[in-house]
């Protein structure tokens, strides 16, 4: 059975007991998917599933706590569910998870480059290719060329947690070492070069907080410390310092929690490579505490616990 | 805000290395500061009056004092501003003495530093809020840990003051070190004769509940409301039945057990009562030596016990006691003499420790008070004492003085002369420390009246020479090498922290120093308090001290507890965490990390669950504040905004520097 | 303001009240001489130190930041420094990634009795920061638009 039919069948079975099912629907043109809330059986046919379904829908879940909802999730998205469960921010019995093994979603910037501002009439996929029909003709590209960077290093293509799995499970196809490639690239620079890198990249930040709003683990929402007066961490100044401070705050609040879904970077309107900031912390956390966020609902995030003896922490010798 | 800044000179303590006047002048320029001045001694009465006058005349609503450490005088000045009608928490201190004038060698740099510290304190006070204490009930029972002379004194004073006392002793009998001593200096009183009645008083006092052969498993809670889990170790004898008749000891076939009371210079039976005056006088089996435990068969004591008190299946029992305060009087330990290889201690039987010698001198000791060489039982003709064995020795990590060795060596030297007619006694010493009342006279008596030979110098080596021990040292007054043949060598062994002192400190959440002795709250002014409210110290657990000092501290600690319990309710410290319910997202990460379980769930009217701080349980550590992602829970008096304000104020100062 | 001593750098320390602040007091009482660069902020517990305070200090121009608490197992609040150790270790490994030299941040444990150790820590850390010199922070001079500061 095709995956989409599988998804629809599962929803048809479950919908009655659910307030809604969060999935993806088509946006304003054939290359744009949008989150879609499916509330009745009439809505089911409007659901789509293809590599355009870039959004991590889990971001909606904490706000829906108290309602029983269904959710569609890819492998990467499922880690956010696990992490939220770990932190008791959502309840397992309140969600029905329809997991979808995923071969990758697109990077919309790469798609935009392909379309180059023309009107899109149709978009179709095969296992290896994407074909976009525009007002000026047909464009075909290899899927690997348009996939999001995170998908090219994907370690969790099949959801970790699900009630229904739509399609066949498969294991990671990409080498694990690739995840940290971007981090290592920066680690290869000397300190002034790293400073210059972030100065250059982060100076573009407009502090729109799209990264935060897209983040499935940023559950504070309207109460984010970045917007508050008490505590008053940020001024109205627009210097790069404040921008760096914001990105570090986001990354540190996610330390041991970030599931590497990449929504922050995808949402960034200034195309700042901010995921690698989180990845650096993920890397250190993994090295220190042998811990990866969002893979085991029974884990405790490492910064909310401790060991009396920490064999991996070597303190300065004073 | 209208903040006043008062910069202290502390005589020349600050004034000598910081230009206090210049600091005050600079402070006038800081935001919110409407008044700034400097004064010779701000903590003096006129100094405090100056603050109070300024509060009224300048309508101040916040005060910064730049002086010594807030750990010294924060409370002093809080009371000062309270007397002038300000909320006592509208105050902060800049530490320009301990952290500035006393450590920096450049007056100009110090002055700049002091100015910046004041600027930070001002920024912090500008973010202060009025805080108010609330009252909570006190459980007027006190737990005393340690049944030595200090602990017993504390227990008796508390009990006589009307408090219920729980006394926990590790050994089976109370008495502690003093019960091991033969005589006490400088009066040469019989130790157990003066201690015995106290031990009986403790046992018979209807306000004292005694747990001997017991230890602390866990302490939870806070001043006024502690919960202690006490482990009553299994003596394998039912103490409700045991009459202390001693028949079991007579018949026990395992007669080679280590005798702890006699410090191993004798052996005892596997089931034993440690000494005749033991209180309670109850038998205990040492399973390391008992044949029933080591070989699985014997049962002699069970057969002979007239009251059938023996129970080999007995297990430890945990009891829980609720108390409002704790007095720690766990005493001291003695250096493992194996560390003193150059003296042959532990290798040669005729080199013994002072406490072993004390047992030998004691009429109820293993030799009935006869002085004998452990090797052959002969009476020694020459005895050599070596003081500072392991103390005042940085190479052994113990640079401190063990306090009482000089005195007990003088006492033992005198007693030796009394016990053994014609004996020669030598004492190697570094300095004779005899600063107590009647002490100097006593050491003089040992030398002048009893003819004890005092040799100033260190012993380098002790080694056997035929039947005798050769003591090789140097007389630093004569500048000559010394060699003395001795029949018996007695070491004035270093006093150390009691074994397990650190683990207990961790349970009590009190501090200890580098040697394991417990830290008092202030070395001069708060000698029996700790930094954990409701926990007090008495005796040698805080540092080596002799009997009168220990007894004095026992009484002092008791008076502190009685003063604490003189009120039915205590005022809580309002410097605790507070949840801004409008900002709390109900993630309860604060609850997960709070070490005290001080955070509970509260449901708002709209059904949303938020964190709520239980006022009396919160200890004010602020771990929750740094855990809370939106910063909805804030530690009062140390909020994010206050610290951010300090950092920003410092940054402003840095910018003006360059 | 007194005259500037060009050598003095911008160093800030977050010290727990019970151990390290006391240790710094003990060092003062013992007149253990120390460099004058450090400015101490008193917090109740090293567990109170939000790593963002350290970041904030760097963003505000600090050349070095030091955090000091009670030795593990000896926390006045039982567990605060255990959490601090994890958080600060992650921070320590992370800051260099953002372009802050690893020598500019340190955390350690000093008890109230360790005046000599405190002297040693301050002296060494200050020397370490001096070896790196004054720090250029984000937006100062180099690439990028410094914004309106």
């Amino acid at each position: 059975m095709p995956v989409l039919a599988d998804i629809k069948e599962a929803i048809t079975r479950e919908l009655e007991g659910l307030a809604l099912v969060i999935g993806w629907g088509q946006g304003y043109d054939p290359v744009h998917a949008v989150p879609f809330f499916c509330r009745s059986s009439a809505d089911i046919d409007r659901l789509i599933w293809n590599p355009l379904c870039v959004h991590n829908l889990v971001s909606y879940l904490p706000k829906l706590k108290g309602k029983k909802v269904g959710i569609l999730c890819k492998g990467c998205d499922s880690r956010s569910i696990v992490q939220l469960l770990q932190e008791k921010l959502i309840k397992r019995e309140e969600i029905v998870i329809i997991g979808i093994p995923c071969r990758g979603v697109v990077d919309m910037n790469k798609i935009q480059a392909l379309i180059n501002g023309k009107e899109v009439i149709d978009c179709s996929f095969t296992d290896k290719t994407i074909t976009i029909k525009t007002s000026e003709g047909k464009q075909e590209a290899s899927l690997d060329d348009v996939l999001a960077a995170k998908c090219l290093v994907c370690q969790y293509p099949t959801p970790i947690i699900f009630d229904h799995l739509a399609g066949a499970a498969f294991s990671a196809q990409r080498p694990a070492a690739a995840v940290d490639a971007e981090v290592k690239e920066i680690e290869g620079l000397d300190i002034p070069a790293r400073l210059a890198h972030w100065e250059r990249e982060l100076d573009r930040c407009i502090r729109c907080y799209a990264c935060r709003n897209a983040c499935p683990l940023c559950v504070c929402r309207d109460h984010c410390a970045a917007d508050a007066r008490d505590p008053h961490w940020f001024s109205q100044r627009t210097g790069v310092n404040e921008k760096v401070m914001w990105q570090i705050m986001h990354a540190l609040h996610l330390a041991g929690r970030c599931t590497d879904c990449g929504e922050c970077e995808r949402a960034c309107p200034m195309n700042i490579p901010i995921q690698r900031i989180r990845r650096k912390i993920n890397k250190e956390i993994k090295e220190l505490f042998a811990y990866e966020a969002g893979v085991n609902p029974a884990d405790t995030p490492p910064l909310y616990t401790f060991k009396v003896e920490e064999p991996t922490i070597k303190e300065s010798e004073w | 805000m209208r903040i006043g800044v008062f910069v202290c000179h502390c005589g020349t303590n600050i004034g000598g290395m910081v230009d206090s006047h210049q600091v005050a002048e600079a402070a006038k320029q800081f935001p919110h500061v409407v008044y700034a001045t400097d004064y010779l001694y701000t903590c003096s009465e006129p100094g405090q009056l100056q603050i109070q006058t300024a509060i009224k005349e300048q309508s101040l609503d916040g005060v910064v004092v730049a002086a010594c450490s807030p750990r010294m005088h924060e409370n002093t000045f809080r009371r000062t501003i309270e007397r002038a009608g300000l909320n006592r928490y509208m105050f902060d201190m800049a530490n320009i003495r301990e952290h500035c004038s006393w450590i920096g060698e450049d007056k100009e740099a110090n002055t700049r530093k002091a100015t910046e510290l004041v600027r930070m304190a001002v920024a912090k006070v500008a973010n202060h809020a009025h805080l108010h204490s609330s009252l909570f009930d006190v459980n007027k029972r006190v737990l005393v840990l340690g049944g030595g002379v200090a602990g017993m004194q504390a227990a008796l004073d508390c009990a006589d003051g009307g408090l219920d006392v729980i006394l926990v002793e590790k050994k089976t009998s109370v008495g502690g070190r003093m019960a091991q001593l033969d005589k006490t200096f400088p009066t040469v009183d019989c130790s157990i004769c003066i201690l015995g009645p106290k031990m009986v008083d403790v046992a018979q006092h209807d306000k004292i509940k005694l747990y001997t052969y017991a230890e602390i498993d866990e302490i939870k809670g806070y001043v006024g409301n502690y919960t202690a889990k006490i482990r009553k170790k299994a003596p394998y004898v039912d103490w409700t039945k045991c009459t202390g008749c001693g028949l079991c000891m007579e018949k026990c076939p395992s007669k080679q057990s280590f005798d702890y009371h006699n410090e191993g210079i004798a052996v005892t039976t596997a089931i034993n009562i440690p000494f005749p005056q033991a209180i309670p006088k109850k038998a205990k089996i040492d399973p390391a030596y008992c044949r029933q435990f080591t070989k699985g068969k014997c049962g002699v004591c069970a057969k002979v016990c007239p009251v059938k008190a023996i129970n080999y299946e007995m297990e430890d029992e945990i009891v829980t006691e609720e108390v409002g305060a704790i007095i720690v009087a766990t005493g001291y330990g003695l250096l493992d003499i194996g560390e003193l290889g150059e003296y042959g201690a532990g290798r040669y039987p005729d080199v013994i420790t002072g406490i072993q010698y004390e047992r030998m001198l004691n009429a109820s000791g293993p030799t009935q008070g006869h002085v004998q060489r452990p090797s052959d039982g002969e009476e020694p003709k020459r005895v050599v004492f070596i003081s500072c064995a392991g103390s005042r020795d940085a190479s052994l990590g113990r640079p401190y003085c063990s306090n009482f060795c000089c005195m007990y060596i003088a006492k033992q030297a005198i007693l030796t002369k009394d016990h053994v007619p014609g004996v020669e006694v030598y004492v190697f010493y570094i300095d004779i420390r005899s600063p107590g009342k009647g002490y100097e006279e006593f050491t003089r008596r040992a030398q002048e009246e009893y003819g004890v030979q005092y040799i100033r110098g260190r012993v380098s080596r002790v080694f056997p020479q035929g039947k005798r021990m050769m003591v090789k040292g140097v007389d630093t007054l004569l500048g000559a090498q010394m060699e003395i043949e001795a029949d018996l060598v007695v070491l004035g062994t270093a006093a150390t922290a009691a074994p397990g002192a650190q683990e207990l400190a961790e349970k009590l959440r009190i501090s200890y120093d580098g040697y394991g002795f417990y830290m008092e709250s202030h070395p001069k002014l708060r000698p029996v308090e700790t930094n954990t409210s409701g926990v007090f110290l008495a005796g040698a657990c805080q540092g080596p001290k002799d009997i009168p000092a220990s007894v004095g501290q026992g009484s002092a600690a008791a008076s502190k507890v009685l003063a604490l319990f003189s009120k039915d309710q205590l005022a809580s410290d309002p410097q605790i965490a507070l949840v801004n319910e409008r900002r709390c997202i109900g993630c309860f990460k604060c609850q997960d990390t709070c070490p005290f379980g001080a955070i509970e769930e509260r449901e708002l009217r709209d059904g949303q669950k938020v964190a709520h701080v239980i006022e009396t349980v919160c200890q004010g550590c602020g771990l929750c504040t740094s855990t809370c992602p939106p910063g909805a829970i804030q530690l009062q008096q140390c909020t994010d905004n206050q610290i951010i304000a300090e950092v920003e104020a410092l940054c402003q100062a840095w910018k003006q520097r360059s | 303001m007194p005259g500037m001593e060009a050598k003095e750098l911008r160093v800030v320390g977050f010290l727990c009240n019970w151990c390290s602040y006391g240790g710094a007091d003990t060092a003062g009482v013992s007149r253990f001489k120390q460099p004058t660069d450090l400015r101490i902020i008193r917090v109740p517990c090293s567990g109170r130190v939000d790593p963002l305070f350290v970041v904030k200090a760097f963003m505000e121009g600090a050349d070095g930041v030091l955090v000091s608490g009670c030795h593990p197992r000896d926390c006045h609040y039982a567990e605060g420094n255990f959490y601090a150790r994890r958080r600060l270790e992650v921070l320590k490994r992370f800051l260099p990634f953002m372009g802050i030299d690893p020598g500019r941040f340190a955390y350690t444990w000093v008890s109230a009795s360790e005046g000599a150790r405190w002297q040693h820590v301050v002296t060494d850390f200050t020397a370490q920061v001096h070896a790196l010199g004054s720090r250029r922070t984000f937006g100062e001079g180099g690439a990028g638009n410094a914004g309106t500061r």
Side-chain angles (χ1 to χ4, degrees):
Chain A
M1 196 191 305
V3 174
L4 186 58
D6 209 344
I7 294 169
K8 287 179 178 175
E9 194 187 285
I11 295 176
T12 310
R13 257 184 291 139
E14 295 281 354
L15 191 58
E16 206 182 350
L18 301 173
L20 54 98
V21 175
I22 315 165
W24 299 275
Q26 194 189 307
Y28 67 90
D29 73 6
V31 287
H32 282 87
V34 288
F36 177 71
F37 283 28
C38 173
R39 295 171 196 276
S40 67
S41 49
D43 291 336
I44 294 178
D45 272 341
R46 293 175 58 189
L47 286 165
I48 62 163
W49 166 248
N50 59 39
L52 298 170
C53 299
V54 292
H55 314 83
N56 180 353
L57 305 172
V58 178
S59 305
Y60 291 105
L61 281 184
K63 276 185 286 192
L64 293 166
K65 199 177 171 189
K67 290 192 178 117
K68 187 157 182 181
V69 298
I71 185 161
L72 270 52
C73 75
K74 308 183 285 285
C76 47
D77 308 340
S78 76
R79 288 180 63 194
S80 310
I81 296 181
V82 170
Q83 190 58 30
L84 289 171
L85 286 170
Q86 222 185 77
E87 298 181 31
K88 300 182 205 73
L89 294 165
I90 54 173
K91 289 185 176 160
R92 183 66 184 93
E93 64 273 18
E94 284 181 356
I95 48 170
V96 172
I97 306 164
I98 300 160
I100 312 166
C102 165
R103 300 210 177 257
V105 293
V106 300
D107 177 338
M108 287 309 293
N109 288 324
K110 293 176 184 168
I111 300 288
Q112 296 295 1
L114 220 55
I115 307 164
N116 201 14
K118 293 175 227 53
E119 192 192 341
V120 180
I121 295 159
D122 187 38
C123 176
S124 61
F125 295 92
T126 69
D127 274 358
K128 297 263 185 259
T129 61
I130 175 171
T131 309
I132 300 173
K133 210 194 282 177
T134 65
S135 45
E136 292 179 15
K138 218 167 159 183
Q139 293 258 19
E140 194 179 285
S142 157
L143 208 46
D144 264 11
D145 289 343
V146 295
L147 281 188
K150 66 165 182 175
C151 300
L152 297 172
V153 298
C154 178
Q155 297 304 306
Y156 293 94
T158 301
I160 288 172
I161 191 171
F162 53 81
D163 297 298
H164 303 279
L165 192 66
F170 60 93
S171 53
Q173 314 283 302
R174 316 276 180 178
V179 178
D180 291 330
E182 295 174 338
V183 169
K184 287 188 175 130
E185 196 180 304
I186 295 189
E187 285 172 342
L189 303 175
D190 63 10
I191 297 283
R194 294 182 205 175
L195 183 77
H197 169 82
W198 290 117
E199 202 163 50
R200 192 172 59 243
E201 295 290 351
L202 290 177
D203 200 40
R204 296 204 301 281
C205 173
I206 54 173
R207 273 167 73 194
C208 67
Y209 299 128
C211 46
R212 171 190 80 192
N213 297 346
C215 175
L217 273 310
C218 270
V219 291
C220 301
R221 302 291 164 187
D222 297 344
H223 300 309
C224 176
D227 292 332
R229 279 289 170 138
D230 183 10
H232 195 184
W233 286 99
F234 295 95
S235 69
Q236 305 306 108
R237 293 176 301 203
T238 58
V240 66
N241 267 345
E242 303 276 311
K243 303 170 182 181
V244 176
M245 180 75 193
W246 156 247
Q247 286 301 332
I248 294 181
M249 173 186 268
H250 192 201
L252 286 177
H253 281 178
L254 287 170
R257 305 174 62 227
C258 171
T259 56
D260 200 28
C261 72
E263 284 293 89
C264 47
E265 189 162 318
R266 184 187 66 76
C268 179
M270 305 307 289
N271 295 322
I272 306 173
I274 48 180
Q275 192 178 2
R276 64 188 62 173
I277 303 177
R278 285 97 185 131
R279 274 194 175 147
K280 167 65 180 173
I281 294 181
N282 288 352
K283 177 172 171 252
E284 297 304 330
I285 295 255
K286 194 167 182 176
E287 208 172 291
L288 279 169
F289 309 116
Y291 172 91
E292 203 174 2
V295 294
N296 178 3
D299 277 346
T300 305
L303 296 191
Y304 302 118
T305 183
F306 63 86
K307 282 187 194 153
V308 172
E309 303 293 337
E310 300 275 10
T312 52
I313 297 181
K314 192 178 163 289
E315 289 161 25
S316 36
E317 284 164 7
W318 267 320
Chain B
M1 275 189 76
R2 297 178 63 81
I3 296 175
V5 175
F6 301 85
V7 186
C8 183
H9 292 245
C10 196
T12 56
N13 282 308
I14 294 168
M17 284 308 283
V18 167
D19 186 337
S20 298
H21 179 71
Q22 198 181 324
V23 174
E25 286 306 305
K28 288 179 180 165
Q29 307 305 316
F30 299 157
H32 304 292
V33 174
V34 294
Y35 181 81
T37 187
D38 54 301
Y39 193 72
L40 197 57
Y41 288 104
T42 308
C43 64
S44 66
E45 199 181 0
Q48 294 191 45
L49 278 173
Q50 186 189 43
I51 297 175
Q52 291 174 324
T53 310
I55 289 172
K56 289 183 182 132
E57 286 179 356
Q58 306 291 329
S59 310
L60 302 181
D61 53 10
V63 169
V64 168
V65 171
C68 52
S69 170
R71 287 163 55 97
M72 183 82 168
H73 272 323
E74 190 170 51
N75 272 326
T76 311
F77 291 117
R78 278 180 174 167
R79 285 194 296 270
T80 307
I81 71 162
E82 196 168 47
R83 283 195 294 273
L86 272 191
N87 182 281
R88 63 195 316 227
Y89 294 98
M90 298 307 290
F91 171 77
D92 206 13
M93 276 185 93
N95 184 342
I96 61 167
R97 195 178 73 172
E98 283 86 343
H99 292 187
C100 188
S101 69
W102 277 351
I103 56 161
E105 292 172 300
D106 174 345
K107 188 167 179 177
E108 202 174 292
N110 285 348
T111 304
R112 182 166 63 240
K113 179 173 179 176
T115 308
E116 292 180 9
L117 290 172
V118 168
R119 187 174 188 146
M120 291 159 74
V122 167
K124 190 173 181 209
V125 169
N127 281 276
H128 275 200
H130 288 215
L131 301 179
H132 301 279
S133 300
S134 51
L135 297 173
F136 64 92
D137 291 336
V138 180
N139 182 346
K140 294 187 180 181
R141 303 174 85 222
V142 56
L143 173 67
V144 179
L145 304 180
V149 70
M152 289 198 295
Q153 186 65 44
L156 286 168
D157 286 355
C158 286
D160 288 345
L163 302 180
D164 283 318
V165 180
I166 319 296
L167 178 59
V168 176
E169 164 58 41
K170 186 153 72 169
K171 297 198 171 143
T172 58
S173 169
V174 294
R177 285 284 175 200
M178 194 177 165
Q180 288 181 293
L181 305 184
D182 178 41
K183 299 286 190 304
T184 57
F185 57 78
T187 49
V188 203
D189 269 326
C190 159
S191 183
I192 197 72
C193 308
I194 54 176
L195 185 71
K198 251 190 212 310
M199 292 164 66
V200 175
D201 286 351
V202 164
Q204 294 186 346
H205 206 298
D206 61 358
K207 286 283 196 186
I208 299 179
K209 193 184 205 177
L210 185 60
Y211 292 107
T212 60
Y213 203 39
E215 283 178 349
I216 295 300
D217 261 15
E218 184 186 283
I219 302 266
K220 284 247 154 92
Y222 51 95
V223 60
N225 294 281
Y226 284 108
T227 305
K229 281 198 179 140
I230 301 165
R231 175 177 294 270
K232 290 171 71 185
K233 289 180 283 183
Y236 307 106
V237 177
D238 183 345
W239 283 5
T240 59
K241 294 180 184 160
C242 177
T243 60
C245 70
L247 201 57
C248 52
M249 281 180 79
E250 276 174 39
K251 302 291 182 197
C252 177
S254 173
K255 295 189 191 304
Q256 295 297 315
S257 307
F258 190 87
D259 188 342
Y260 292 93
H261 187 69
N262 284 319
E263 294 287 337
I265 54 161
V267 286
T268 184
T269 45
I271 184 164
N272 68 74
I273 297 167
F275 55 102
Q277 302 88 342
I279 294 222
K281 199 172 178 186
K282 306 287 182 190
K284 176 204 85 174
I285 292 175
D286 187 341
Y289 295 93
C290 173
R291 293 184 185 178
Q292 186 68 35
F293 286 91
T294 55
K295 301 211 164 67
K297 58 177 184 190
C298 177
V300 171
C301 52
K303 274 180 220 122
V304 300
C305 179
V307 292
K308 300 285 167 230
I310 311 295
N311 174 7
Y312 300 117
E313 309 297 318
M314 204 178 229
E315 282 180 4
D316 290 2
E317 187 191 334
I318 310 284
V319 291
T320 302
E321 291 284 356
E322 315 261 327
V323 297
I326 301 170
I327 295 174
V328 189
T330 45
Y332 64 99
L334 283 166
L335 174 68
D336 174 5
I337 54 167
E339 274 190 45
L340 303 170
E342 70 273 29
Y343 300 151
R347 268 183 295 150
Y348 309 125
D350 295 336
V351 179
I352 63 173
T353 65
I355 191 89
Q356 287 176 326
Y357 194 54
E358 197 77 36
R359 293 310 304 151
M360 194 187 279
L361 291 167
N362 190 271
S364 64
T367 61
Q368 288 79 45
H370 295 299
V371 178
Q372 297 175 352
R373 286 156 53 96
S375 60
D376 54 12
E378 275 180 30
E379 200 172 73
K381 295 187 178 54
R382 192 184 285 155
V383 179
V384 171
F385 289 88
I386 302 172
S387 60
C388 302
S391 345
R392 302 184 66 190
D393 191 341
S395 68
L396 289 170
R398 241 173 270 96
Y400 61 84
C401 167
S402 287
N403 182 296
F404 42 66
C405 325
C406 284
M407 292 309 299
Y408 81 64
I409 286 173
K411 174 195 73 184
Q412 291 182 343
I414 288 175
L415 291 174
T416 308
K417 287 276 190 181
D418 275 343
H419 282 237
V420 186
V423 70
E424 287 177 47
V425 178
Y426 290 86
V427 175
F428 278 93
Y429 71 99
I430 303 178
D431 298 290
I432 302 174
R433 301 208 157 161
S434 51
K437 189 172 170 180
Y439 288 11
E440 177 63 15
E441 296 92 314
F442 187 70
T443 55
R444 300 300 308 181
R445 255 177 80 203
Q447 295 166 66
E448 289 159 10
E449 206 174 301
Y450 285 85
V452 176
Q453 296 291 314
Y454 270 72
I455 301 162
R456 190 179 195 276
R458 273 214 121 113
V459 171
S460 59
R461 215 154 76 86
V462 178
F463 53 92
Q465 182 108 314
K467 279 181 73 181
R468 307 183 92 185
M469 300 303 298
M470 182 63 82
V471 181
K472 217 175 154 159
V474 62
D475 184 327
T476 51
L477 294 181
L478 294 177
Q481 294 283 332
M482 291 283 294
E483 280 193 350
I484 302 177
E485 270 190 19
D487 298 300
L488 186 64
V489 178
V490 181
L491 305 178
T493 344
T496 64
Q502 299 189 3
E503 289 79 0
L504 182 64
E506 284 154 18
K507 286 174 192 162
L508 290 162
R509 287 184 278 113
I510 60 175
S511 307
Y512 46 88
D513 64 21
Y515 315 111
F517 291 111
Y518 298 151
M519 293 268 292
E520 64 282 4
S521 190
H522 188 279
K524 300 283 172 202
L525 301 178
R526 290 162 66 86
V528 297
E529 289 99 322
T530 66
N531 279 332
T532 299
S533 185
V535 179
F536 303 92
L537 303 175
C541 62
Q542 178 265 350
K545 54 181 62 65
D546 64 4
I547 294 165
S550 297
V551 172
Q553 283 206 332
S555 288
S559 80
K560 286 287 165 191
V561 173
L562 286 161
L564 180 73
F565 288 176
S566 64
K567 300 184 203 85
D568 292 329
Q569 290 189 311
L570 292 179
S572 68
D573 187 339
Q575 299 174 97
I576 56 167
L578 188 69
V579 178
N580 179 347
E581 292 180 345
R582 282 171 303 155
R583 302 203 70 240
C584 175
I585 56 162
C587 72
F588 294 102
K589 290 182 168 63
C590 50
Q591 195 175 38
D592 294 342
T593 50
C594 176
F596 307 101
I599 298 184
E600 59 186 6
E601 244 179 58
R602 172 183 275 188
E603 196 171 312
L604 298 181
R605 266 188 289 176
D606 63 1
Q608 209 209 317
K609 290 197 174 72
V610 295
H612 175 73
V613 177
I614 312 167
E615 239 176 285
T616 49
V617 182
C618 176
Q619 299 289 294
C621 70
L623 186 56
C624 53
T625 309
S626 56
T627 303
C628 179
I633 188 165
Q634 290 288 335
L635 176 63
Q636 300 306 293
Q637 201 77 353
C638 190
T639 61
D640 284 342
N641 275 359
Q642 286 174 324
I643 297 177
I644 292 167
E646 283 185 271
V647 173
E648 281 179 344
L650 184 54
C651 160
Q652 291 304 318
W654 284 336
K655 286 207 181 112
Q656 284 178 9
R657 261 201 228 168
S658 44
Chain C
M1 276 284 163
M4 290 304 103
E5 198 190 11
K7 279 185 293 183
E8 204 169 78
L9 291 179
R10 301 162 291 188
V11 185
V12 57
F14 295 93
L15 270 64
C16 85
N17 178 51
W18 303 99
C19 292
S20 295
Y21 197 93
D25 279 358
T26 305
V29 171
S30 314
R31 313 295 199 277
F32 291 152
K33 299 298 174 223
Q34 296 155 43
T36 52
D37 311 51
L38 179 73
R39 306 288 179 265
I40 291 169
I41 293 178
R42 181 167 73 132
V43 292
C45 176
S46 54
R48 172 68 188 90
V49 179
D50 191 323
L52 288 169
F53 291 146
V54 177
V55 177
K56 180 84 183 164
F58 279 122
M59 292 306 140
E60 298 285 345
D63 296 310
V65 183
L66 177 66
V67 180
S68 186
C70 304
H71 287 277
R73 291 171 184 271
D74 197 24
C75 175
H76 181 74
Y77 302 103
E79 297 174 355
N81 54 2
F82 289 136
Y83 289 97
R85 180 169 57 185
R86 286 195 160 199
R87 294 168 180 177
L88 297 172
E89 180 65 20
V90 169
L91 181 71
K92 187 180 159 186
R93 288 160 173 248
F94 170 63
L95 287 175
F97 188 76
M98 300 305 291
I100 294 167
D101 201 285
R104 296 190 185 275
F105 169 66
Y107 69 96
T108 190
W109 322 117
V110 174
S111 83
S113 66
E114 293 175 324
R117 182 177 151 79
W118 175 251
Q119 177 193 32
H120 184 56
V121 164
V122 176
T123 309
D124 281 12
F125 183 69
T126 310
Q128 187 177 311
V129 175
H130 272 265
L132 295 163
S134 177
R135 187 177 135 258
R136 183 180 83 78
T137 185
F138 298 94
E140 272 180 12
N145 166 18
T148 52
R149 289 220 54 174

